[in-house]
Amino acid sequence: MTYTSSATAVRRAAHLGLTAAALLLAAASPATAGSFAGGDHLYLTVTTGDGRSSDTRGTLLLCDPPQGHGRAAEACAQLDSVGGDIDALAPADVYCPMLYAPVTARAGGQWNGRPVEYRRTFSNSCVLRARTGAVFALDG
């Protein structure tokens, strides 16, 4: 038997709701539907905190044309340079504090017609930014 915490259930419901909203928006506009259905897109979330208390932000990144993200053009260019492989992004040359304040980054969607599933937990938001560039910079 699988037990799910209420926070996990709420996050799953929010993810499903945002995904459904994106699909409805895509269906409502023929131009958007074409770019969403066949173009590069990722649903991105960043969760700060641990399982007991957390804050999740998310957005749908579309890359043809870049939209849906405060730094969409930069994020799309970075992803394009590595063929959509988030792990292949070059880390920034910065020093981050040795502070444990976990953040979890998730991405799901497609790039170049291939499915993308990504999930990593970083020790803090500085390390997240250093390793993923503009991709998970959801605060603009």
Side-chain angles (χ1 to χ4, degrees), residues 45-49 56 101-106 119-122 128 136:
T45 62
V46 175
T47 303
T48 55
T56 300
V103 292
T104 301
R106 291 184 181 90
R119 182 184 188 279
R120 298 285 180 276
T121 299
F122 298 92
L128 168 68
F136 289 99

Side-chain angles (χ1 to χ4, degrees), residues 81-92:
S81 73
V82 294
D85 182 2
I86 298 169
D87 282 323
L89 290 168

